[in-house]
């Protein structure tokens, strides 16, 4: 079977998987990301922060899957994306003011979009294998004019995405180029997930067969 569960509320992550031929079950974790990041301490390396957040998100949805009899021959993937700017991890800006300040700091510069990934393999309600890692993609930002920036901010899009930009939507007008995996910028790195799935003994081809829109895995 090899059903796939996406432990994320992110519509972008779901869209990346669906465009890549997999229609996962979606379960949203209840991880307190700020509390977990704080618990890791101020000196935690950025890659560790996003990877541990991804692990926590994937692990958080497992009890519910077991309760719903979805804990056998199941793969769970969790992710966490943040932008690393001047050594500081930035999540979602949340407000226009914060998003404006971030764009003023990053316009014309580059930063690294880090995405942590965690894959769990469940059998008979137990985690029998797991693999986690992060991907990093360098994003080179353009210089939006003041009018364009205000229009972008007013769209609301930058407020709810890591780093206050998107690659695949309105924000794409302001990304000059990237060095790395585009899917990981959007929120889930397909090549890294392929490698993590292989680490837990599952090929992507098996995932395609078991989780297409025509053959849903529930
Ligand atoms: N469409 C799009 N979304 C992006 C891009 N960069 C970051 N994001 C989104 O920004 C969000 C980063 O916040 P996260 O905490 O990782 O994920 P979330 O949306 O809160 O969802 P959870 O996985 O349930 O925590 C994710 O939804 C990413 O998909 C991008 O280039 N394009």
């Amino acid at each position: 079977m090899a059903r796939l569960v996406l432990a994320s509320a992110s519509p972008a992550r779901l869209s990346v998987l669906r465009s890549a031929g997999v229609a996962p079950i979606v379960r949203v974790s209840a991880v307190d990301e700020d509390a977990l990041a704080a618990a890791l301490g101020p000196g935690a390396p950025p890659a560790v922060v996003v990877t541990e957040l991804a692990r926590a998100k994937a692990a958080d949805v497992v009890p519910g899957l077991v309760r719903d009899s979805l804990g056998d021959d199941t793969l769970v993937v969790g992710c966490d994306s943040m932008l690393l700017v001047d050594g500081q991890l930035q999540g979602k800006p949340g407000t226009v003011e914060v998003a404006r300040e971030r764009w003023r700091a990053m316009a014309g510069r580059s930063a690294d979009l880090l995405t942590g990934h965690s894959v769990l393999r469940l059998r008979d309600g137990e985690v029998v294998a797991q693999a986690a890692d992060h991907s990093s993609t360098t994003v080179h930002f353009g210089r939006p004019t003041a009018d364009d920036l205000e229009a972008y901010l007013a769209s609301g899009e930058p407020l709810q995405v890591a780093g206050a930009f998107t690659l695949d939507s309105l924000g794409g007008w302001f990304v000059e180029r990237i060095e790395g995996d585009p899917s990981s910028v959007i929120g889930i790195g397909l090549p890294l997930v392929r490698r993590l799935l292989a680490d837990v003994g599952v090929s992507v081809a098996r995932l395609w067969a078991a989780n297409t829109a025509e053959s849903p895995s529930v």
Side-chain angles (χ1 to χ4, degrees):
M1 160 74 82
R3 72 168 59 84
L4 180 68
V5 174
L6 173 63
S8 177
S10 170
R13 292 190 176 116
L14 180 57
S15 174
V16 167
L17 288 174
R18 282 182 168 162
S19 299
V22 175
I25 298 166
V26 173
R27 292 290 170 99
V28 179
S29 75
V31 171
D32 182 337
E33 299 180 40
D34 293 338
L36 194 152
L40 290 170
V48 169
V49 174
V50 295
T51 303
E52 290 309 309
L53 282 168
R55 283 185 202 270
K57 293 179 186 180
D60 188 67
V61 305
V62 170
L65 292 170
V66 174
R67 183 192 62 234
D68 297 345
S69 303
L70 294 172
D72 189 37
D73 201 2
T74 295
L75 295 147
V76 181
V77 60
C79 298
D80 187 77
S81 298
M82 298 181 88
L83 187 69
L84 184 61
V85 185
D86 297 330
Q88 296 299 315
L89 279 175
Q90 296 179 353
K92 306 173 198 171
T95 67
V96 168
E97 291 68 28
V98 172
R100 182 181 293 117
E101 280 315 303
R102 290 200 183 161
W103 266 100
R104 283 181 175 156
M106 69 195 193
R109 299 181 59 201
S110 62
D112 293 330
L113 197 292
L114 272 59
T115 297
H117 298 68
S118 170
V119 171
L120 306 178
R121 186 172 186 179
L122 308 184
R123 188 173 296 134
D124 297 330
E126 299 293 329
V127 177
V128 295
Q130 55 185 305
D133 202 348
H134 80 285
S135 51
S136 177
T137 301
T138 300
V139 181
H140 297 264
F141 295 101
R143 296 177 183 278
T145 63
D147 288 350
D148 283 349
L149 178 57
E150 289 307 314
Y152 185 45
L153 296 171
S155 76
E157 178 186 281
L159 278 55
Q160 293 308 320
V161 290
F165 80 99
T166 63
L167 183 63
D168 56 322
S169 187
L170 282 178
W173 291 94
F174 308 117
V175 174
E176 296 294 335
R177 61 190 173 91
I178 67 171
E179 296 164 72
D181 166 25
S183 56
S184 73
V185 176
I186 298 169
I188 182 168
L190 293 173
L192 178 52
V193 172
R194 184 194 83 245
R195 293 194 294 273
L196 295 177
L197 286 167
D199 290 345
V200 300
V202 177
S203 71
V204 284
R206 192 169 158 214
L207 222 56
W208 295 337
N211 294 274
T212 60
E214 295 70 36
S215 63
S217 50
V218 275

Short mmCIF file of all heavy atoms in Angstrom, two decimals, residues 67-102:
data_model
loop_
_atom_site.label_atom_id
_atom_site.label_comp_id
_atom_site.label_asym_id
_atom_site.label_seq_id
_atom_site.Cartn_x
_atom_site.Cartn_y
_atom_site.Cartn_z
N ARG A 67 -5.05 5.84 15.76
CA ARG A 67 -6.44 5.82 16.26
C ARG A 67 -7.42 5.60 15.09
O ARG A 67 -8.43 4.91 15.22
CB ARG A 67 -6.77 7.14 16.95
CG ARG A 67 -8.16 7.24 17.56
CD ARG A 67 -8.49 8.66 17.96
NE ARG A 67 -8.50 9.56 16.78
CZ ARG A 67 -7.77 10.67 16.70
NH1 ARG A 67 -6.97 11.04 17.70
NH2 ARG A 67 -7.83 11.44 15.63
N ASP A 68 -7.09 6.16 13.94
CA ASP A 68 -7.98 6.06 12.76
C ASP A 68 -7.64 4.87 11.87
O ASP A 68 -8.03 4.83 10.70
CB ASP A 68 -7.90 7.36 11.94
CG ASP A 68 -8.38 8.57 12.74
OD1 ASP A 68 -9.03 8.36 13.79
OD2 ASP A 68 -8.08 9.70 12.34
N SER A 69 -6.89 3.92 12.44
CA SER A 69 -6.52 2.69 11.70
C SER A 69 -5.78 3.02 10.41
O SER A 69 -5.96 2.34 9.38
CB SER A 69 -7.77 1.86 11.38
OG SER A 69 -8.47 1.53 12.57
N LEU A 70 -4.97 4.04 10.48
CA LEU A 70 -4.13 4.43 9.33
C LEU A 70 -2.66 4.30 9.67
O LEU A 70 -1.80 4.96 9.09
CB LEU A 70 -4.45 5.87 8.91
CG LEU A 70 -5.85 6.14 8.36
CD1 LEU A 70 -6.07 7.64 8.17
CD2 LEU A 70 -6.04 5.41 7.02
N GLY A 71 -2.36 3.45 10.63
CA GLY A 71 -0.96 3.36 11.09
C GLY A 71 -0.22 2.15 10.58
O GLY A 71 0.83 1.78 11.13
N ASP A 72 -0.73 1.51 9.52
CA ASP A 72 -0.01 0.36 8.98
C ASP A 72 0.37 0.62 7.52
O ASP A 72 -0.46 1.07 6.72
CB ASP A 72 -0.88 -0.90 9.05
CG ASP A 72 -0.06 -2.15 8.70
OD1 ASP A 72 1.14 -2.19 9.09
OD2 ASP A 72 -0.58 -3.03 8.01
N ASP A 73 1.64 0.32 7.22
CA ASP A 73 2.16 0.55 5.86
C ASP A 73 1.90 2.00 5.42
O ASP A 73 1.41 2.27 4.33
CB ASP A 73 1.52 -0.41 4.86
CG ASP A 73 2.39 -0.54 3.60
OD1 ASP A 73 3.47 0.09 3.57
OD2 ASP A 73 1.98 -1.22 2.66
N THR A 74 2.24 2.89 6.32
CA THR A 74 2.01 4.33 6.11
C THR A 74 3.31 5.09 6.22
O THR A 74 4.16 4.75 7.05
CB THR A 74 1.01 4.86 7.17
OG1 THR A 74 -0.25 4.22 6.96
CG2 THR A 74 0.86 6.37 7.08
N LEU A 75 3.44 6.08 5.37
CA LEU A 75 4.60 6.99 5.43
C LEU A 75 4.10 8.37 5.81
O LEU A 75 3.11 8.85 5.26
CB LEU A 75 5.29 7.04 4.08
CG LEU A 75 5.90 5.67 3.70
CD1 LEU A 75 5.84 5.44 2.23
CD2 LEU A 75 7.30 5.54 4.26
N VAL A 76 4.77 9.01 6.75
CA VAL A 76 4.40 10.35 7.19
C VAL A 76 5.55 11.30 6.86
O VAL A 76 6.71 10.98 7.14
CB VAL A 76 4.13 10.40 8.71
CG1 VAL A 76 3.71 11.81 9.15
CG2 VAL A 76 3.07 9.38 9.10
N VAL A 77 5.23 12.41 6.22
CA VAL A 77 6.26 13.42 5.96
C VAL A 77 5.86 14.74 6.60
O VAL A 77 4.73 15.19 6.50
CB VAL A 77 6.51 13.61 4.44
CG1 VAL A 77 5.27 14.05 3.70
CG2 VAL A 77 7.66 14.55 4.19
N GLY A 78 6.83 15.31 7.35
CA GLY A 78 6.65 16.62 7.97
C GLY A 78 7.76 17.54 7.49
O GLY A 78 8.87 17.10 7.18
N CYS A 79 7.45 18.83 7.39
CA CYS A 79 8.43 19.81 6.90
C CYS A 79 8.37 21.10 7.71
O CYS A 79 7.34 21.39 8.34
CB CYS A 79 8.14 20.16 5.43
SG CYS A 79 8.28 18.78 4.29
N ASP A 80 9.45 21.86 7.65
CA ASP A 80 9.43 23.21 8.22
C ASP A 80 10.38 24.09 7.42
O ASP A 80 11.52 23.72 7.19
CB ASP A 80 9.85 23.21 9.69
CG ASP A 80 9.64 24.60 10.29
OD1 ASP A 80 8.47 24.93 10.59
OD2 ASP A 80 10.62 25.36 10.42
N SER A 81 9.86 25.24 6.97
CA SER A 81 10.66 26.14 6.14
C SER A 81 10.89 27.47 6.85
O SER A 81 9.96 28.03 7.44
CB SER A 81 9.93 26.43 4.81
OG SER A 81 9.75 25.23 4.07
N MET A 82 12.12 27.96 6.78
CA MET A 82 12.45 29.29 7.31
C MET A 82 13.53 29.89 6.43
O MET A 82 14.30 29.18 5.77
CB MET A 82 12.92 29.18 8.76
CG MET A 82 11.87 28.62 9.69
SD MET A 82 12.43 28.53 11.41
CE MET A 82 11.96 30.14 11.98
N LEU A 83 13.59 31.22 6.43
CA LEU A 83 14.60 31.92 5.63
C LEU A 83 15.74 32.36 6.55
O LEU A 83 15.50 32.96 7.61
CB LEU A 83 13.98 33.15 4.96
CG LEU A 83 14.89 33.88 3.97
CD1 LEU A 83 15.14 33.04 2.71
CD2 LEU A 83 14.29 35.24 3.58
N LEU A 84 16.95 32.03 6.17
CA LEU A 84 18.13 32.40 6.96
C LEU A 84 18.73 33.68 6.37
O LEU A 84 19.24 33.68 5.26
CB LEU A 84 19.15 31.27 6.94
CG LEU A 84 20.41 31.45 7.78
CD1 LEU A 84 20.06 31.58 9.26
CD2 LEU A 84 21.38 30.27 7.57
N VAL A 85 18.57 34.76 7.12
CA VAL A 85 19.05 36.08 6.66
C VAL A 85 20.01 36.63 7.71
O VAL A 85 19.63 36.73 8.90
CB VAL A 85 17.87 37.07 6.49
CG1 VAL A 85 18.37 38.38 5.90
CG2 VAL A 85 16.77 36.48 5.63
N ASP A 86 21.23 36.93 7.31
CA ASP A 86 22.23 37.47 8.26
C ASP A 86 22.31 36.62 9.53
O ASP A 86 22.33 37.14 10.65
CB ASP A 86 21.86 38.93 8.61
CG ASP A 86 21.91 39.83 7.38
OD1 ASP A 86 22.72 39.54 6.47
OD2 ASP A 86 21.12 40.78 7.31
N GLY A 87 22.26 35.30 9.32
CA GLY A 87 22.42 34.40 10.46
C GLY A 87 21.19 34.21 11.31
O GLY A 87 21.21 33.45 12.29
N GLN A 88 20.09 34.87 10.95
CA GLN A 88 18.87 34.77 11.75
C GLN A 88 17.78 34.05 10.96
O GLN A 88 17.55 34.36 9.77
CB GLN A 88 18.35 36.17 12.11
CG GLN A 88 19.30 36.96 13.02
CD GLN A 88 19.52 36.27 14.36
OE1 GLN A 88 18.57 35.81 15.00
NE2 GLN A 88 20.79 36.17 14.78
N LEU A 89 17.12 33.08 11.61
CA LEU A 89 16.02 32.37 10.97
C LEU A 89 14.75 33.21 11.03
O LEU A 89 14.38 33.70 12.09
CB LEU A 89 15.78 31.02 11.64
CG LEU A 89 16.70 29.86 11.23
CD1 LEU A 89 16.39 28.64 12.10
CD2 LEU A 89 16.54 29.52 9.74
N GLN A 90 14.09 33.34 9.88
CA GLN A 90 12.83 34.09 9.82
C GLN A 90 11.71 33.17 9.34
O GLN A 90 11.85 32.51 8.32
CB GLN A 90 12.97 35.27 8.84
CG GLN A 90 13.99 36.31 9.27
CD GLN A 90 14.10 37.43 8.24
OE1 GLN A 90 13.50 37.35 7.16
NE2 GLN A 90 14.85 38.47 8.57
N GLY A 91 10.61 33.15 10.07
CA GLY A 91 9.44 32.38 9.66
C GLY A 91 8.49 33.29 8.89
O GLY A 91 8.89 34.07 8.03
N LYS A 92 7.20 33.18 9.24
CA LYS A 92 6.22 34.02 8.56
C LYS A 92 6.18 35.39 9.22
O LYS A 92 6.17 35.48 10.45
CB LYS A 92 4.85 33.37 8.67
CG LYS A 92 4.80 31.94 8.19
CD LYS A 92 3.45 31.34 8.51
CE LYS A 92 3.48 29.85 8.46
NZ LYS A 92 2.24 29.25 8.99
N PRO A 93 6.12 36.47 8.43
CA PRO A 93 6.14 37.81 9.04
C PRO A 93 4.88 38.12 9.85
O PRO A 93 4.94 38.74 10.90
CB PRO A 93 6.30 38.75 7.87
CG PRO A 93 5.99 37.96 6.66
CD PRO A 93 6.19 36.53 6.98
N GLY A 94 3.74 37.69 9.36
CA GLY A 94 2.49 37.86 10.13
C GLY A 94 1.83 39.21 9.95
O GLY A 94 0.60 39.31 9.92
N THR A 95 2.64 40.27 9.83
CA THR A 95 2.04 41.60 9.66
C THR A 95 2.69 42.31 8.47
O THR A 95 3.83 41.99 8.08
CB THR A 95 2.26 42.50 10.90
OG1 THR A 95 3.67 42.79 11.01
CG2 THR A 95 1.76 41.82 12.17
N VAL A 96 2.00 43.30 7.93
CA VAL A 96 2.54 44.10 6.82
C VAL A 96 3.81 44.81 7.26
O VAL A 96 4.81 44.85 6.52
CB VAL A 96 1.48 45.12 6.33
CG1 VAL A 96 2.11 46.14 5.39
CG2 VAL A 96 0.31 44.41 5.65
N GLU A 97 3.81 45.31 8.46
CA GLU A 97 4.97 46.08 8.94
C GLU A 97 6.22 45.19 8.97
O GLU A 97 7.29 45.58 8.51
CB GLU A 97 4.68 46.65 10.34
CG GLU A 97 3.62 47.75 10.37
CD GLU A 97 2.22 47.23 10.05
OE1 GLU A 97 1.94 46.03 10.32
OE2 GLU A 97 1.42 48.00 9.48
N VAL A 98 6.07 43.99 9.52
CA VAL A 98 7.24 43.09 9.58
C VAL A 98 7.65 42.69 8.17
O VAL A 98 8.85 42.68 7.85
CB VAL A 98 6.90 41.85 10.44
CG1 VAL A 98 8.03 40.82 10.35
CG2 VAL A 98 6.67 42.25 11.90
N ALA A 99 6.69 42.38 7.32
CA ALA A 99 7.03 41.97 5.95
C ALA A 99 7.74 43.10 5.21
O ALA A 99 8.72 42.88 4.49
CB ALA A 99 5.76 41.56 5.20
N ARG A 100 7.29 44.34 5.42
CA ARG A 100 7.92 45.50 4.77
C ARG A 100 9.37 45.63 5.23
O ARG A 100 10.28 45.82 4.42
CB ARG A 100 7.15 46.77 5.09
CG ARG A 100 7.70 48.01 4.41
CD ARG A 100 6.91 49.27 4.76
NE ARG A 100 5.55 49.26 4.23
CZ ARG A 100 4.46 49.26 5.00
NH1 ARG A 100 4.56 49.26 6.33
NH2 ARG A 100 3.25 49.27 4.45
N GLU A 101 9.59 45.51 6.52
CA GLU A 101 10.95 45.64 7.06
C GLU A 101 11.85 44.54 6.49
O GLU A 101 13.00 44.77 6.14
CB GLU A 101 10.92 45.57 8.58
CG GLU A 101 10.53 46.89 9.23
CD GLU A 101 11.24 48.06 8.57
OE1 GLU A 101 12.51 48.06 8.54
OE2 GLU A 101 10.55 48.96 8.05
N ARG A 102 11.27 43.34 6.38
CA ARG A 102 12.10 42.23 5.86
C ARG A 102 12.49 42.49 4.39
O ARG A 102 13.64 42.27 4.00
CB ARG A 102 11.34 40.92 5.98
CG ARG A 102 11.19 40.49 7.43
CD ARG A 102 10.91 39.05 7.52
NE ARG A 102 10.71 38.62 8.90
CZ ARG A 102 10.10 37.49 9.22
NH1 ARG A 102 9.61 36.72 8.25
NH2 ARG A 102 9.96 37.12 10.47
#
